[in-house]
Amino acid sequence: MEITLVAGDITAQRVDAIVNAANSSLLGGGGVDGAIHRRGGPAILGECRALRASRYGRGLPTGQAVATTAGDLPARWVIHTVGPVFSAGEDRSALLRDCYANSLAVADELGAATVAFPLISAGVYGWPVDDAVRQALTVLRAATPARVTEARLVLFDPDTYATAERVAATG
């Protein structure tokens, strides 16, 4: 699987699946989650509400992933995953890696060949950017999906992109 770092807006990626750094409610929020819901339109929210009513009454657990339509986005699916909030006193990195692994597994089950990931938990959830990149690349480099041929790590701002390039180059 090819791994590409991309500077830009994840909602503009022409891929089979876009991963959403969602909150557990699945009902939209700020950051990446809000941008995906705004640009994707009401179809995404409608399917998220149906998921809450059927399978995820208490919300989507941290580290898990579930797919919906992509609505008006230039993708077929949105894969929602809930990242952990960073804690200096508790190692939650396994949960962060689960977000990438479970999202990739859902993408593979859907038959997606191309998947765009945000840098999960590195926004309002406070995960240090360099370690968030390291955790993402650890999973993506080790993955052997059957159908996914390209994973893009989409980084919204130039500083985050520069950090990702540095981390990717060193290991």
Side-chain angles (χ1 to χ4, degrees), residues 144-170:
T144 56
R147 294 178 180 89
V148 178
T149 58
E150 180 190 2
R152 297 179 192 173
L153 190 56
V154 182
L155 306 144
F156 188 70
D157 65 80
D159 290 341
T160 303
Y161 180 78
T163 299
E165 278 192 314
R166 180 181 46 77
V167 169
T170 60

Side-chain angles (χ1 to χ4, degrees), residues 11 13-18 69-78 114:
T11 67
Q13 297 298 305
R14 294 193 175 280
V15 291
D16 294 324
I18 292 173
T69 182
D72 297 330
L73 293 166
R76 293 179 63 191
W77 302 285
V78 171
T114 54

Side-chain angles (χ1 to χ4, degrees), residues 7-160:
D9 179 354
I10 197 165
T11 67
Q13 297 298 305
R14 294 193 175 280
V15 291
D16 294 324
I18 292 173
V19 175
N20 179 18
N23 64 51
S24 63
S25 76
L26 294 175
L27 302 179
V32 170
D33 194 18
I36 285 173
H37 275 269
R38 279 189 304 277
R39 180 136 185 223
I44 297 171
L45 182 58
E47 285 193 25
C48 285
R49 283 187 174 135
L51 285 167
R52 284 297 305 270
S54 62
R55 294 173 32 200
Y56 299 106
R58 293 182 159 197
L60 184 65
T62 302
Q64 297 302 304
V66 65
T68 65
T69 182
D72 297 330
L73 293 166
R76 293 179 63 191
W77 302 285
V78 171
I79 299 169
H80 307 268
T81 189
V82 180
V85 174
F86 179 75
S87 169
E90 179 185 350
D91 182 7
R92 297 178 179 167
S93 57
L95 284 170
L96 182 55
R97 290 189 303 273
D98 283 347
C99 291
Y100 290 94
N102 289 328
S103 294
L104 202 53
V106 169
D108 214 36
E109 289 170 14
L110 292 168
T114 54
V115 182
F117 288 88
L119 192 56
I120 299 165
S121 289
V124 296
Y125 285 9
W127 209 280
V129 171
D130 58 339
D131 191 57
V133 171
R134 205 170 288 110
Q135 299 298 329
L137 292 177
T138 295
V139 174
L140 296 175
R141 287 174 173 161
T144 56
R147 294 178 180 89
V148 178
T149 58
E150 180 190 2
R152 297 179 192 173
L153 190 56
V154 182
L155 306 144
F156 188 70
D157 65 80
D159 290 341
T160 303

